[in-house]
Amino acid sequence: MSSNNMSDPRRQNKILRYKPPSTETNPTLEDPTPDYMNLLGMIFSMCGLMLKLKWCAWIAVYCSFISFANSRSSEDTKQMMSSFMLSISAVVMSYLQNPQPMSPPW
Amino acid sequence: MRALPLLLLFLLALPVSRGRYNDDFDDGEDLADFDDNDFAEFEELSEDTVTEPEDSPPPRYTSPSTADEDEDDEATVELEEGQDGFDDPETQDQDLYSKYDQEEFEGIGDMEKTSHSMKDPLIIHTVPAHLQNSWESYYMEILMVTGLLAYIMNYIIGKNKNSRLAHAWFNSHRELLESNFALVGDDGTSKEAVSTGTLNQENEHIYNLWCSGRVCCEGMLIQLKFLKRQDLLNVLARMMRPACDQVQIKVTLNDEDMDTFVFAVGTKKAMARLQKEMQDLSEFCGDKPKSGAKFGLPESLAILSEMGEVTDGVMDNKMVHYITNHADKIESIHFSDQFSGPKLMQEEGQPLKLPETKKTLLFTFNVPGMGHPSPRDMDALLPLMNMVIYSIDKVKKLRLNREGKQKADRNRARVEENFLKQTHAQRQEAAQSRREEKKRAEKERIMNEEDPERQRRLEEAAQRREQKKMEKKQMKMKQIKVKAM
């Protein structure tokens, strides 16, 4: 018994619960990519809708995908879904108003 | 001479054709329909001729006759008499046309012109892309959709790869961890402290594991920071700049588990970076990183230490052995009793209080494979975990001698003093502003007092207090002057 205690370093009474590190104290440690991409996606989709620019709408779709890929699991899905839906609607509206294909910039 | 009989023949043909008209009319057809049919032929020939149809039938009737013979039997001209005359219709037509007065017969010249223009080559313009109805014109859209599909595919593949690597790591380390810690795996949400036995997925590329319940330490947080394989942009960026997956281990200790020292060892690049970034390393380890070769380590590693005694204490044979054997996987090892994280960038100047410190051991290991590890590479990290456990036990036993302890205490006092000096100006300002606030509040109270009597009394009281303060200050100044003398 005593040898077991000596070699076994585990102590049930010393258990401490996990506390997620607070991000308010260390804002630099957080990855800002999903937030930036979310914002960019919204801006591009609004541009695409208002100015009827197809390429803006497509870039917005890409931005929302990138934001989703980089997001933390703690972030709620509603935000992601709303930006995603907004970008898809921007693309659809651009094509409904103007069914011509997109012309490349060159 | 020759022209006269031709003309006569033609004039004869006229009543024949007219007769034909009459026949048709006798058949009972509508005059309008009849006219339309006839004149439609003429209109086919040239659009420009807007002449009265009655005038033009004779000259024009001959040219379309050859074309429309099949279509309209009724419209065939019985030119048996004049057949010889019209063997060569083209030239004869032209002769006839030239005979006709330009003024009388409008549009004949135009007809000549149109017959010429019909001989010019036809130019076929290409239909612009947006008016075509083919899929090929939408090639940009198809490109975009293909790009999106590629992104989604990469997301799925990257996510799965990261997940497989994480579980491979956990499977190889599970036994060691479970034999050392009472609690392996906790997300902090469950009511009872029961081991979940699983990794905590924070992200598609970051996995956490919290272990607790051991002698010599409070707990250990392991973070598997993989590369962002699920993000295609990151994958493409990594093709330019290769990077490694990392395993970061942070062991927090109780106050009695560690003596007061600050120490770090790692790659030269990492040491240079940490010395600039970390609060405690920049304050306590002011000297440049020393080469590891002096202590038996490989040349690629450097050491930052508070004092030589600490280095000698930490770098015993077993540690040197561990580090030398796995030097390629070690990014940095940082032991500190004054750990408070990286230096905070202040916006309003320095904080008024010293940042909170915690006794910590930090380990950062690189996963072998340079961005393309296989699950088997995770087993290579197992000896490093053994080193971590060994370090925890060692740090508990490591105690500085008397001299070293004094030095360490002096260092800490010095750092605190420096900090207080730097913030002295700020603290003074803060105290001044607080005093002003109090005065203002009192004045306001006096002003708001409605009763004039009470107002006067409060004002007098305030004045007296002010006077007392001034006297006290003067006394202090006098005392200081006396002492100085």
Side-chain angles (χ1 to χ4, degrees):
Chain A
M1 230 8 227
S2 58
S3 62
N4 206 13
N5 264 343
M6 291 236 305
S7 57
D8 188 5
R10 291 178 289 179
R11 297 286 179 270
Q12 197 71 30
N13 55 341
K14 284 190 144 198
I15 285 180
L16 208 70
R17 295 306 302 276
Y18 172 60
K19 241 190 318 167
S22 66
T23 47
E24 285 143 21
T25 52
N26 295 351
T28 48
L29 290 178
E30 258 189 55
D31 179 25
T33 308
D35 302 322
Y36 280 152
M37 282 295 148
N38 213 5
L39 183 67
L40 265 181
M42 292 217 191
I43 291 173
F44 272 117
S45 58
M46 291 316 284
C47 275
L49 270 172
M50 303 294 176
L51 306 175
K52 300 184 189 167
L53 297 169
K54 293 200 176 80
W55 56 269
C56 269
W58 280 110
I59 292 176
V61 175
Y62 271 96
C63 281
S64 76
F65 266 95
I66 294 171
S67 171
F68 172 73
N70 283 306
S71 67
R72 290 147 233 138
S73 58
S74 56
E75 271 184 41
D76 64 311
T77 50
K78 275 183 278 184
Q79 176 88 349
M80 290 293 133
M81 290 307 290
S82 76
S83 82
F84 187 65
M85 287 295 140
L86 184 64
S87 55
I88 296 275
S89 71
V91 169
V92 169
M93 288 307 292
S94 306
Y95 278 94
L96 276 178
Q97 288 165 355
N98 188 10
Q100 297 170 13
M102 213 163 47
S103 58
W106 52 86
Chain B
M1 279 301 284
R2 218 167 126 219
L4 266 169
L6 283 171
L7 185 61
L8 277 167
L9 280 167
F10 202 79
L11 283 169
L12 276 169
L14 244 164
V16 174
S17 53
R18 281 230 180 98
R20 187 184 62 74
Y21 286 164
N22 288 333
D23 287 341
D24 285 340
F25 191 70
D26 285 339
D27 283 345
E29 278 186 271
D30 218 9
L31 185 66
D33 279 352
F34 182 82
D35 283 345
D36 279 346
N37 275 339
D38 242 281
F39 305 136
E41 292 169 3
F42 303 138
E43 279 166 7
E44 272 174 35
L45 190 63
S46 80
E47 291 169 339
D48 295 338
T49 54
V50 192
T51 55
E52 288 171 70
E54 282 167 353
D55 286 333
S56 43
R60 274 198 247 156
Y61 195 69
T62 51
S63 35
S65 64
T66 48
D68 300 328
E69 234 168 36
D70 303 330
E71 290 175 34
D72 204 354
D73 291 330
E74 290 174 69
T76 48
V77 175
E78 288 155 33
L79 296 169
E80 286 144 14
E81 295 168 331
Q83 205 77 29
D84 308 322
F86 292 95
D87 275 337
D88 193 1
E90 225 177 62
T91 48
Q92 296 205 342
D93 281 352
Q94 292 195 351
D95 287 328
L96 282 168
Y97 291 159
S98 56
K99 287 200 192 307
Y100 287 104
D101 199 4
Q102 201 67 357
E103 287 172 16
E104 212 181 317
F105 296 101
E106 295 168 41
I108 292 172
D110 293 340
M111 264 191 58
E112 281 185 15
K113 277 187 226 152
T114 51
S115 62
H116 283 299
S117 70
M118 276 167 71
K119 293 176 204 156
D120 293 335
L122 285 171
I123 303 166
I124 300 172
H125 294 279
T126 51
V127 180
H130 61 276
L131 294 174
Q132 288 175 14
N133 246 350
S134 68
W135 286 111
E136 290 163 1
S137 54
Y138 285 90
Y139 66 94
M140 282 295 284
E141 280 75 12
I142 292 171
L143 257 170
M144 289 290 199
V145 172
T146 315
L148 274 178
L149 285 172
Y151 193 90
I152 294 171
M153 291 270 293
N154 179 72
Y155 173 80
I156 294 171
I157 292 172
K159 187 169 87 124
N160 285 339
K161 171 113 198 231
N162 278 348
S163 176
R164 262 183 296 133
L165 287 173
H167 286 101
W169 180 92
F170 189 53
N171 285 335
S172 68
H173 287 72
R174 184 197 294 265
E175 223 182 284
L176 177 65
L177 290 172
E178 282 180 349
S179 66
N180 270 295
F181 291 92
L183 175 72
V184 173
D186 182 25
D187 56 4
T189 55
S190 57
K191 271 195 191 156
E192 288 170 19
V194 177
S195 295
T196 59
T198 52
L199 295 163
N200 220 359
Q201 187 174 2
E202 192 183 298
N203 238 331
E204 301 298 344
H205 61 283
I206 298 182
Y207 290 81
N208 289 343
L209 184 72
W210 171 253
C211 306
S212 183
R214 191 187 193 276
V215 290
C216 312
C217 71
E218 268 183 13
M220 177 166 82
L221 177 67
I222 305 174
Q223 274 196 320
L224 302 174
K225 288 196 169 163
F226 293 121
L227 302 166
K228 285 191 187 176
R229 291 189 177 82
Q230 78 275 11
D231 182 13
L232 188 62
L233 285 184
N234 213 284
V235 169
L236 296 171
R238 259 189 300 118
M239 288 184 184
M240 314 289 159
R241 214 171 10 116
C244 265
D245 301 296
Q246 281 191 339
V247 177
Q248 287 185 357
I249 302 172
K250 182 173 174 180
V251 185
T252 43
L253 306 164
N254 294 317
D255 281 336
E256 67 272 12
D257 294 331
M258 184 173 171
D259 206 354
T260 54
F261 64 89
V262 175
F263 173 82
V265 62
T267 60
K268 288 191 180 142
K269 238 183 167 181
M271 285 297 103
R273 187 175 39 92
L274 284 179
Q275 193 174 33
K276 264 187 281 176
E277 276 180 12
M278 289 296 171
Q279 180 89 11
D280 52 347
L281 285 176
S282 60
E283 282 171 359
F284 293 96
C285 306
D287 307 328
K288 267 184 10 179
K290 295 195 197 87
S291 167
K294 292 185 197 153
F295 300 92
L297 298 173
E299 186 59 42
S300 58
L301 299 176
I303 295 180
L304 275 172
S305 169
E306 199 180 344
M307 52 187 116
E309 193 199 330
V310 168
T311 318
D312 294 327
V314 173
M315 289 288 126
D316 63 350
N317 283 337
K318 205 162 177 194
M319 278 295 275
V320 171
H321 182 76
Y322 266 127
I323 293 175
T324 318
N325 283 350
H326 305 282
D328 55 332
K329 299 188 205 80
I330 294 176
E331 172 83 7
S332 72
I333 298 175
H334 180 188
F335 300 166
S336 172
D337 73 311
Q338 297 279 318
F339 181 73
S340 59
K343 277 197 215 174
L344 296 169
M345 305 307 290
Q346 295 304 324
E347 289 155 0
E348 307 156 347
Q350 308 232 315
L352 298 177
K353 273 194 312 176
L354 270 172
E356 265 185 48
T357 61
K358 188 91 184 118
K359 299 199 175 182
T360 323
L361 310 178
L362 292 152
F363 301 82
T364 308
F365 300 132
N366 294 328
V367 176
M370 198 61 188
H372 305 284
S374 69
R376 271 179 286 114
D377 288 328
M378 294 304 179
D379 295 335
L381 294 171
L382 200 56
L384 290 169
M385 188 56 75
N386 280 321
M387 182 178 82
V388 170
I389 305 287
Y390 174 76
S391 306
I392 297 175
D393 292 327
K394 182 180 180 53
V395 156
K396 169 90 178 178
K397 284 180 266 169
L398 183 67
R399 291 282 175 254
L400 300 166
N401 60 14
R402 205 162 54 103
E403 224 181 83
K405 191 87 177 91
Q406 277 179 353
K407 238 186 175 178
D409 289 338
R410 257 183 289 146
N411 276 341
R412 275 146 192 76
R414 171 181 51 87
V415 165
E416 204 177 321
E417 217 183 290
N418 281 342
F419 180 80
L420 287 175
K421 268 196 210 159
Q422 278 172 350
T423 59
H424 180 71
Q426 250 114 350
R427 274 185 294 120
Q428 256 197 342
E429 255 185 64
Q432 181 81 0
S433 62
R434 256 182 283 132
R435 257 180 276 144
E436 276 182 16
E437 268 294 322
K438 261 197 208 165
K439 266 195 201 166
R440 234 183 295 137
E442 248 205 75
K443 274 202 183 135
E444 251 190 72
R445 222 169 11 106
I446 292 170
M447 297 298 272
N448 289 341
E449 207 57 58
E450 289 187 0
D451 197 358
E453 269 283 330
R454 286 181 74 181
Q455 212 178 41
R456 228 188 317 124
R457 253 185 283 152
L458 281 167
E459 267 187 47
E460 278 174 17
Q463 257 186 352
R464 255 180 277 145
R465 253 178 277 144
E466 277 287 326
Q467 262 196 342
K468 268 192 189 166
K469 265 193 195 163
M470 291 296 288
E471 277 171 24
K472 263 193 187 169
K473 256 192 179 173
Q474 279 175 1
M475 287 294 290
K476 265 190 183 169
M477 292 300 286
K478 277 191 191 161
Q479 276 180 7
I480 288 169
K481 275 187 187 160
V482 167
K483 273 188 185 168
M485 287 200 307

